[in-house]
């Protein structure tokens, strides 16, 4: 559920933006986390925009410094899936398209996926399908094309993540118009 900026780069040219899975896994990156916008707490006096953000982190099993990203396994020692789903419902249940799209995301929080890259790839495919749903034939095929996670080498997009706003913020708010907002 990457940042809007990543999807902006990806949708501009999917054949250039690729995911590196043969690198040593770097910690504290968007590979296993996303930042969602949460409703402003009316009880809080804090006006900081950071106060309206929540970072969701997929815990991973111990990673050594030379472990490839493709080999990183998700840890299920804690109930992170339940916590993430509750956070998503709290953040988005009042948005116009949450009820319509929730069933596309719920399985990720009910089933266990062993590897982080598989989890990310499956969520990415769902997001692209939802975004491309209104795209015209050839455009949808281009977006959904051959870009699968497998020994890819491409641009380092970490600096392009900007404020890190999750694509879910746009998707649940604008639904089929998301592609025009990116």
């Amino acid at each position: 559920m990457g940042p809007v900026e990543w999807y902006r780069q990806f949708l501009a040219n999917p054949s250039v933006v690729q995911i590196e899975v043969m690198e040593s896994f770097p910690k504290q990156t968007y590979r296993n986390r996303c930042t969602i916008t949460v409703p402003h707490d009316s009880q809080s006096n804090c006006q900081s925009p950071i106060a309206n953000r929540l970072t969701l982190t997929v815990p991973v099993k111990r990673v050594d410094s030379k472990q490839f990203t493709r080999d990183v396994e998700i840890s299920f020692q804690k109930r992170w899936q339940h916590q993430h789903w509750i956070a998503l419902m709290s953040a988005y249940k009042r948005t116009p398209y949450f009820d319509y799209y929730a069933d596309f995301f719920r399985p990720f929080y009910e089933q266990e996926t062993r590897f982080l890259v598989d989890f990310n790839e499956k969520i990415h495919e769902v997001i692209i399908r939802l975004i491309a749903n209104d795209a015209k034939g050839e455009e949808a095929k281009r977006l959904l094309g051959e870009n699968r996670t497998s020994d890819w080498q491409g641009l380092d997009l970490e600096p392009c993540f900007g404020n890190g706003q999750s694509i879910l913020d746009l998707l649940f708010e604008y639904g089929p118009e998301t592609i025009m907002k990116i």
Side-chain angles (χ1 to χ4, degrees):
M1 302 177 298
V4 172
E5 292 84 357
W6 190 91
Y7 280 93
R8 184 175 295 127
Q9 294 285 332
F10 177 82
L11 294 170
N13 195 350
S15 63
V16 172
V17 177
Q18 299 176 344
I19 299 168
E20 174 63 62
V21 298
M22 296 298 291
E23 67 182 341
S24 295
F25 181 74
K27 296 179 181 179
Q28 298 183 351
T29 65
Y30 283 100
R31 288 161 184 79
N32 67 322
R33 65 188 68 205
C34 72
T35 303
I36 62 172
T37 303
V38 295
H40 183 65
D41 182 2
S42 60
Q43 305 294 330
S44 171
N45 292 328
C46 181
Q47 299 301 314
S48 169
I50 296 171
N52 294 338
R53 305 287 174 137
L54 177 64
T55 299
L56 302 177
T57 303
V58 175
V60 295
K61 292 183 179 178
R62 188 168 188 269
V63 177
D64 69 42
S65 62
K66 297 189 191 292
Q67 186 171 5
F68 290 137
T69 297
R70 72 170 186 203
D71 298 328
V72 173
E73 293 184 50
I74 297 173
S75 173
F76 293 96
Q77 289 182 333
K78 296 183 180 176
R79 296 185 63 205
W80 69 267
Q81 290 175 295
H82 174 73
Q83 293 168 346
H84 283 205
W85 186 247
I86 296 301
L88 292 175
M89 287 192 323
S90 296
Y92 299 121
K93 67 182 172 192
R94 291 189 179 100
T95 59
Y97 291 94
F98 180 76
D99 289 339
Y100 182 72
Y101 292 146
D103 288 339
F104 290 97
F105 293 97
R106 187 181 333 245
F108 295 103
Y109 301 99
E110 295 175 344
Q111 302 164 0
E112 292 184 6
T113 302
R114 182 176 175 192
F115 292 103
L116 181 64
V117 293
D118 295 336
F119 182 81
N120 287 340
E121 180 179 2
K122 290 173 187 173
I123 286 182
H124 172 70
E125 288 174 358
V126 166
I127 290 169
I128 291 299
R129 281 195 174 90
L130 293 174
I131 290 172
N133 190 37
D134 284 352
K136 302 296 182 228
E138 290 305 311
E139 177 69 3
K141 285 180 191 172
R142 183 179 72 83
L143 294 175
L144 295 169
E146 300 289 324
N147 290 314
R148 300 190 57 83
T149 305
S150 61
D151 296 349
W152 285 358
Q153 296 180 15
L155 302 175
D156 178 12
L157 291 177
E158 198 78 23
C160 300
F161 287 165
N163 69 7
Q165 176 188 16
S166 175
I167 190 68
L168 294 185
D169 291 353
L170 291 182
L171 192 61
F172 289 135
E173 185 67 31
Y174 296 105
E177 295 177 6
T178 298
I179 200 162
M180 295 180 288
K181 301 292 182 183
I182 293 179

